[in-house]
């Protein structure tokens, strides 16, 4: 018997399927986490996962959108490609929002989608969707695998493209027969991408021009974008700023690239930026954009943007330079590399900019951010500030989209990079909570807080199951104003208070909802209770959901009304 | 302004869709496209005639095209001395009585009759787009039944004249 069994194992050749090859390729890329959801077209891949003894974990979210936002959060704080796996048709189309979001915010993702078998492609087969066609405009690149032979090479290319240059999502579409069938030979040759050669290092001559411009500037200003984070340039930036005393403002996504509590930090700029930052952009004579893309939420009406300034723009994507704002000193480079070269070259800072620093310092004191704070009831700004104050340990904060997002950007001072995860370019409601799951898995040691609105949370709250299942200690704080707050604010300001479909009094009992998932839920209605409880809640080892009841009528200020220049702000209050 | 842009691309599935989609998304108006293989295996060449507003937009277009992984090379031929040709097939109403007359019209265009039937006649012409348009206008009175045009294809001349002389060679100036 024994002998027979032995011969049997021997005589059976180990035939690998395309799916096995795929898993091996992922292991080779040092993938440690996959976010996914199974279905017909990926059954062979899920079977290979089951059989594989690879080390990585698969996180079963409860909706594909949850999977991809989690992968985005993971990618953002780990600075490495997030991996997503979903089935064909509806599985793949459920990813579309997240793919577009990652494209806008330059997040590296490798998105694996199942596809119907090649034998029925193009016949409107069950669960067939043209995901290549659908995702072409919202991916950095996409592939449909034509044979298992090319899997290793395409996976290598996909990871390379996703995570180098300006990062972005890459979709790899895998027909079911290719993943299911045995595969005897694969292409192990190194990849060759002649059409993809991103510039990494700056042209030193351009940096020289920048250093010259700094020397001459009387009113220099640095604007940081997410490029500083992608390029790991924060330390160099801080060194430059401290040595040459150049003030710093930031985009929404660039927060944390420079310490938020630094005396030379002016706060975020743009639609809900600080008065000091927006006026600094308006008045500066040298604007040094490091890794931001001059998005319209930052610039406001371009006719009034940085009109007095020589503009230097460091960007790894040449297409961003000169796209919206005329640029005098273009520098195509990784932001980190450019900052290093700049620091190496710059011997002298601005010759005479003390008046500028004084002016900005005065503005910071005279026109700070402000909010009304009644005695007992909470406003969201106060709640966010309080969370900031009690979690001095610099947690990772994710947000959803809306008023609470802007308030978090305003009142949570990020001192370190990669602590701030928000959907900027696409403004995707439903992002914040699953993104926090991804962050927690990427950084198990860190404290992760999801600040969400009652509207957005309800878009992806099914992922509470993941917290329950994995006991992930994510802290969810719902800033519950019983409204789609940002919509309500615009209706108040620009539509004569016609609150069309934005006041949502009907909502679930969030505490019971949490409890339904065996998660601790707490409803807090007063400042006193919040102050008493929040510290402990935020430092718990378990997942926690806080339903923080905040006043509905609050608006995000200051604000640049749409179409106006960023110097034209409403809601600025002198101290 | 009209520009002639050629792209050398990897001949992967979806590449045409990628390029035209990009142009549509960024609101560039495509006047014509022609695509064909090159002397190298797996490499194709596309020739676009596009209408762009100004130089800034043009720069955006070429930069965005550069970002496409499958695009190997982009050349804006508009300011170069080039050889550019388009081919058109024109089917007109005709009977025996007008055939000679038509022959006389097309001869200076070095066009050829490539198909004749009882009541129609097909002409093939190659040249710059203006030449083709001129011939179409001359044939229009006979009654045009059908037209098929390839769109422009082009490359730069072997020898490039000095900048000062360029305009006379350039197609668009
Ligand atoms: C998927 C999606 N749908 C709609 C919007 C438009 N939108 C922007 S903010 C907002 C309101 C968000 O309300 P809530 O989540 O309660 O947050 P709040 O503004 O009250 O803080 C809406 C509907 C969006 N950004 N994303």
């Amino acid at each position: 018997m024994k002998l027979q069994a032995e011969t049997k194992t021997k005589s059976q050749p180990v035939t690998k399927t395309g799916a096995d090859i795929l898993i091996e390729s992922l292991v080779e890329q040092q993938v440690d986490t996959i976010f996914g959801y199974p279905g017909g077209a990926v059954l062979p891949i899920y079977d290979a996962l089951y059989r594989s003894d690879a080390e990585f974990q698969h996180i079963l979210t409860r909706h594909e959108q949850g999977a991809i936002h989690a992968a985005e959060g993971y990618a953002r704080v780990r600075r490495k490609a997030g991996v997503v796996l979903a089935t064909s048709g509806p599985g793949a189309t459920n990813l579309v929002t997240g793919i577009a979001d990652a494209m806008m915010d330059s997040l590296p993702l490798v998105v694996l989608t199942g596809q119907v078998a090649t034998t029925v492609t193009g016949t409107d087969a069950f669960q067939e969707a043209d995901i290549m066609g659908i995702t072409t405009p919202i991916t950095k690149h996409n592939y449909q695998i034509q044979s298992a032979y090319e899997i290793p090479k395409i996976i290598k290319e996909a990871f390379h493209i996703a995570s180098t240059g300006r990062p972005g999502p890459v979709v790899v579409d895998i027909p079911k027969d290719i993943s299911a069938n045995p595969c005897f030979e694969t292409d192990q040759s190194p990849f060759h991408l002649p059409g993809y050669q991103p510039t990494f290092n700056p042209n030193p001559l351009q940096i020289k021009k920048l250093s010259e411009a700094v020397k001459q500037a009387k009113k220099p200003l640095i604007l940081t974008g997410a490029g500083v984070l992608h390029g790991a340039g924060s330390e160099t930036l801080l060194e430059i700023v401290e040595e040459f005393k150049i003030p710093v403002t930031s985009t929404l996504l660039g927060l944390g690239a420079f310490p938020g509590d630094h005396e030379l930090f002016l706060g975020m700029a743009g639609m809900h930026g600080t008065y000091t930052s927006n006026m600094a952009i308006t008045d500066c004579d040298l604007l040094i954009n490091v890794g931001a893309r001059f998005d319209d939420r930052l610039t406001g009406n371009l006719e009034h943007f940085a009109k007095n300034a020589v503009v230097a723009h460091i960007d790894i994507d040449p297409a961003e330079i000169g796209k919206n704002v005329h640029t005098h000193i273009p520098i195509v480079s990784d932001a980190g590399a450019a900052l290093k070269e700049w620091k190496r070259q710059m011997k002298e800072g601005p010759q005479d900019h003390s008046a500028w620093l004084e002016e900005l310092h005065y503005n910071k004191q005279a026109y700070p951010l402000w909010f009304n704070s009644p005695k007992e009831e909470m406003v969201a700004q106060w709640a966010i500030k309080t969370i900031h104050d009690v979690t001095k340990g610099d947690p990772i904060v994710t947000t959803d989209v809306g008023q609470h997002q802007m308030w978090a950007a305003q009142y949570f001072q990020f001192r370190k990079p990669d602590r701030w995860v928000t959907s900027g370019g696409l403004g995707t409601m439903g992002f914040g909570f699953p993104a926090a799951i991804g962050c927690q898995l990427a950084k198990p040691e860190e404290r992760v807080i999801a600040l969400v609105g009652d509207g957005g949370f309800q878009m992806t709250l099914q992922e509470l199951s993941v917290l329950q299942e994995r006991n992930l200690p994510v802290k969810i704080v719902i800033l519950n104003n019983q409204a789609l707050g940002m919509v309500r604010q615009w209706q108040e300001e620009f539509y004569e208070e016609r609150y069309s479909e934005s006041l949502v009094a009907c909502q679930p009992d969030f505490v019971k909802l949490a409890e339904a998932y065996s998660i601790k839920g707490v409803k807090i209605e007063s400042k006193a209770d919040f102050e008493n409880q929040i510290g402990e809640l935020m430092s718990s080892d378990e997942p926690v959901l806080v339903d923080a009841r905040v006043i509905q009528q609050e608006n995000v200020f200051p604000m640049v009304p749409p179409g106006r220049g960023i110097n034209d702000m409403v809601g600025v209050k002198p101290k | 302004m009209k520009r002639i842009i050629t792209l050398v691309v990897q001949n992967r599935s979806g590449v045409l869709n990628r390029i035209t989609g990009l142009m549509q998304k960024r609101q560039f108006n495509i006047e014509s496209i022609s695509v064909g293989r090159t002397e190298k295996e797996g490499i194709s060449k596309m020739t676009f005639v596009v209408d762009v507003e100004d130089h800034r937009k043009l720069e955006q277009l070429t930069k965005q095209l550069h970002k496409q992984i499958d695009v190997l090379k982009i050349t804006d031929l508009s300011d170069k001395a080039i050889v550019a040709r388009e081919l058109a097939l024109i089917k007109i109403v005709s009977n025996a009585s007008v055939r000679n007359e038509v022959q006389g019209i097309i001869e200076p265009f070095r066009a050829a009759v490539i198909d004749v039937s009882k009541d129609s006649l097909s002409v093939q012409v190659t040249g710059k787009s203006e030449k083709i348009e001129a011939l179409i206008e001359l044939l229009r009175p006979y009654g045009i039944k059908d037209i098929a045009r390839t769109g422009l294809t082009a490359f730069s001349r072997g020898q490039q004249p000095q900048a000062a002389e360029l305009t006379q060679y350039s197609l668009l100036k």
Side-chain angles (χ1 to χ4, degrees):
Chain A
M1 282 295 277
K2 205 182 163 212
L3 203 87
Q4 253 184 351
E6 260 174 27
T7 36
K8 204 178 163 201
T9 34
K10 261 189 197 156
S11 67
Q12 239 181 16
V14 198
T15 37
K16 292 181 194 165
T17 63
D20 293 322
I21 306 289
L22 175 72
I23 302 298
E24 285 175 12
S25 305
L26 295 176
V27 170
E28 198 185 295
Q29 293 298 324
Q30 290 161 352
V31 170
D32 56 22
T33 309
I34 297 184
F35 301 91
Y37 207 96
V42 285
L43 281 171
I45 301 176
Y46 273 86
D47 188 56
L49 262 178
Y50 189 89
R51 288 183 281 105
S52 162
D53 46 20
E55 294 267 305
F56 54 67
Q57 53 180 346
H58 176 278
I59 305 296
L60 178 76
T61 54
R62 297 323 195 242
H63 188 294
E64 287 87 354
Q65 187 181 358
I68 193 161
H69 291 327
E72 290 182 86
Y74 174 97
R76 182 67 282 278
V77 299
R78 271 290 279 274
R79 291 199 196 140
K80 120 176 208 186
V83 182
V84 183
L85 173 58
T87 193
S88 68
T93 54
N94 272 349
L95 297 175
V96 167
T97 302
I99 296 172
D101 191 87
M103 184 70 172
M104 284 289 244
D105 287 352
S106 309
L107 292 171
L109 293 183
V110 172
V111 179
L112 309 165
T113 53
Q115 186 50 278
V116 299
T118 52
T119 45
V120 293
T121 310
T123 63
D124 303 316
F126 178 63
Q127 295 193 329
E128 179 176 12
D130 174 15
I131 207 66
M132 292 293 287
I134 292 170
T135 62
T136 292
I138 52 168
T139 46
K140 186 167 173 187
H141 198 53
N142 59 11
Y143 293 91
Q144 186 168 60
I145 302 229
Q146 310 289 329
S147 85
Y149 175 77
E150 53 181 35
I151 289 175
K153 197 165 167 183
I154 286 184
I155 293 298
K156 272 185 238 165
E157 288 186 11
F159 276 84
H160 178 71
I161 292 171
S163 46
T164 56
R166 176 177 181 176
V170 176
V171 166
V172 182
D173 197 32
I174 310 159
K176 184 175 185 178
D177 52 338
I178 292 177
S179 55
N181 290 344
C183 166
F184 301 102
E185 201 196 349
T186 54
D187 183 356
Q188 294 294 340
S189 61
F191 62 82
H192 173 58
L193 293 164
Y196 179 68
Q197 313 280 345
T199 309
F200 187 82
N201 288 312
N203 178 344
L205 291 176
Q206 292 302 98
I207 299 287
K208 190 164 170 231
K209 282 189 199 159
L210 171 61
S211 304
E212 284 298 317
V214 172
K215 224 161 77 183
Q216 285 163 26
K218 292 199 159 41
K219 300 176 172 187
L221 178 67
I222 291 174
L223 168 71
T224 58
V228 179
L229 303 167
H230 290 302
S234 295
E235 269 179 48
T236 321
L237 177 70
L238 183 61
E239 286 163 12
I240 292 174
V241 170
E242 303 234 290
E243 185 165 355
F244 301 107
K245 304 277 179 263
I246 307 173
V248 180
T249 181
S250 179
T251 65
L252 175 70
L253 291 183
L255 293 174
F258 188 78
D261 55 354
H262 197 284
E263 59 167 344
L264 286 168
F265 187 63
L266 311 179
M268 179 174 76
M271 180 172 271
H272 294 295
T274 61
Y275 173 82
T276 312
S277 283
N278 284 4
M279 293 315 289
I281 288 179
T282 308
D283 294 338
C284 67
D285 64 359
L286 173 64
L287 179 61
I288 306 160
N289 173 346
V290 191
R293 65 179 173 88
F294 285 133
D295 165 76
D296 60 76
R297 280 294 188 271
L298 170 84
T299 63
N301 187 331
L302 286 167
E303 280 183 25
H304 303 280
F305 183 79
K307 275 295 150 219
N308 307 308
V310 168
V311 175
H313 187 173
I314 299 168
D315 204 305
I316 200 160
D317 179 359
E320 290 302 342
I321 299 180
K323 185 176 84 177
N324 298 334
V325 172
H326 180 66
T327 302
H328 307 84
I329 309 175
I331 301 169
V332 179
S333 170
D334 170 78
L339 286 165
K340 280 208 182 87
E341 176 63 16
W342 185 22
K343 176 160 188 289
R344 195 184 68 78
Q345 283 198 24
M346 195 157 68
K347 301 278 178 281
E348 290 170 274
Q351 299 300 294
D352 173 23
H353 71 314
S354 47
W356 174 239
L357 294 182
E358 270 165 39
E359 178 187 332
L360 297 177
H361 183 74
Y362 172 81
N363 281 352
K364 254 177 97 169
Q365 308 306 319
Y367 304 97
L369 293 166
W370 61 271
F371 56 86
N372 302 315
S373 199
K375 257 219 168 73
E376 274 153 34
E377 288 171 296
M378 280 192 282
V379 295
Q381 301 92 308
W382 177 88
I384 290 168
K385 210 162 180 289
T386 306
I387 295 172
H388 169 260
D389 293 345
V390 302
T391 56
K392 277 280 186 309
D394 295 315
I396 291 172
V397 174
T398 74
T399 75
D400 216 78
V401 169
Q403 290 184 310
H404 68 279
Q405 176 190 32
M406 293 299 120
W407 285 322
Q410 291 178 332
Y411 293 101
F412 217 103
Q413 285 185 340
F414 296 93
R415 282 172 283 264
K416 292 192 223 148
D418 305 329
R419 305 274 133 168
W420 167 239
V421 181
T422 196
S423 165
L426 200 67
T428 306
M429 281 173 74
F431 172 88
F433 170 45
I437 292 176
C439 294
Q440 191 71 77
L441 287 158
K443 298 271 173 101
E445 306 305 318
E446 305 271 2
R447 177 158 44 180
V448 179
I449 302 176
L451 301 175
V452 297
D454 48 296
F457 180 59
Q458 292 186 69
M459 286 196 176
T460 44
L461 63 74
Q462 74 284 345
E463 305 308 340
L464 284 168
S465 255
V466 179
L467 293 198
Q468 175 186 24
E469 188 176 50
R470 310 237 160 205
N471 199 27
L472 295 175
V474 170
K475 312 292 177 294
I476 305 162
V477 180
I478 306 173
L479 295 148
N480 189 348
N481 53 11
Q482 303 196 16
L484 304 175
M486 190 57 98
V487 172
R488 192 205 59 73
Q489 171 170 349
W490 280 55
Q491 289 169 340
E492 179 182 333
E493 303 268 324
F494 309 117
Y495 295 88
E496 294 165 333
E497 302 183 25
R498 290 187 295 278
Y499 295 126
S500 179
E501 302 293 325
S502 63
L503 306 182
V504 192
C506 174
Q507 51 182 211
D509 180 331
F510 287 111
V511 171
K512 279 197 188 140
L513 182 77
E515 284 165 3
Y517 290 94
S518 312
I519 292 170
K520 176 171 181 166
V522 185
K523 175 171 163 182
I524 305 183
E525 293 178 278
S526 76
K527 274 170 114 171
D529 288 348
F530 197 81
E531 260 170 341
N532 285 338
Q533 296 180 44
I534 199 67
E536 199 185 320
L537 290 170
M538 292 297 107
S539 52
S540 152
D541 297 335
E542 311 252 297
V544 172
L545 180 149
V546 179
D547 178 5
R549 296 304 175 107
V550 297
I551 293 176
Q552 186 176 72
Q553 279 71 30
E554 278 297 308
N555 289 342
V556 185
F557 287 127
M559 178 179 193
V560 177
R564 308 256 198 92
I566 55 166
N567 52 335
D568 193 355
M569 311 180 78
V570 297
V572 177
K573 248 195 207 172
K575 204 172 180 176
Chain B
M1 55 186 186
K2 252 187 225 176
R3 308 299 289 192
I4 305 172
I5 291 170
T6 63
L7 304 182
V8 178
V9 300
Q10 310 241 49
N11 195 0
R12 299 235 183 103
S13 77
V15 62
L16 182 62
N17 179 24
R18 225 176 261 290
I19 308 286
T20 52
L22 185 156
M23 292 192 179
Q24 184 203 7
K25 172 181 168 192
R26 309 247 171 209
Q27 305 208 311
F28 294 104
N29 208 353
I30 305 173
E31 294 218 336
S32 78
I33 313 177
S34 73
V35 189
R37 281 189 246 166
T38 63
E39 77 284 3
K40 287 203 203 88
E41 185 163 345
I43 306 289
S44 293
K45 187 163 178 174
M46 302 181 178
T47 310
F48 287 86
V49 178
V50 286
D51 203 359
V52 284
E53 248 166 67
D54 53 34
H55 276 96
R56 216 186 58 164
K57 281 248 175 191
L58 177 68
E59 187 184 312
Q60 244 321 281
L61 174 63
T62 49
K63 282 174 165 180
Q64 291 296 345
L65 288 168
H66 260 298
K67 279 169 66 167
Q68 296 298 319
I69 312 282
D70 289 335
V71 172
L72 302 179
K73 189 169 177 221
I74 301 166
T75 317
D76 183 349
L77 288 174
S78 320
D79 295 329
K80 292 197 174 153
I82 58 171
V83 188
R85 294 289 182 271
E86 182 177 354
L87 182 142
L89 304 175
I90 308 160
K91 191 189 286 173
I92 58 172
V93 183
S94 113
N95 49 36
S97 64
V98 298
R99 248 171 239 157
N100 277 343
E101 204 178 309
V102 169
Q103 197 70 46
I105 292 176
I106 68 173
E107 210 177 70
F109 288 83
R110 279 187 268 169
V113 173
I114 52 166
D115 184 43
V116 179
S117 75
K118 222 166 51 245
D119 55 0
S120 79
L121 179 152
S122 299
V123 173
Q124 167 192 313
V125 58
T126 53
K128 296 184 186 173
S129 305
E130 294 85 342
K131 172 177 160 187
I132 288 168
E133 245 119 67
L135 181 60
I136 291 171
E137 283 319 303
L138 288 172
L139 293 177
R140 196 176 293 285
Y142 297 93
I144 289 178
K145 295 181 86 164
D146 201 358
I147 293 183
R149 296 175 68 163
T150 59
L152 197 75
T153 188
F155 53 36
S156 58
R157 284 182 188 272
Q159 198 180 346
Q160 290 293 312
Q162 298 300 308
E165 305 163 15
L166 257 177
T167 39
Q168 72 189 86
Y169 291 92
S170 179
L171 186 78
L172 300 173
K173 296 260 165 99

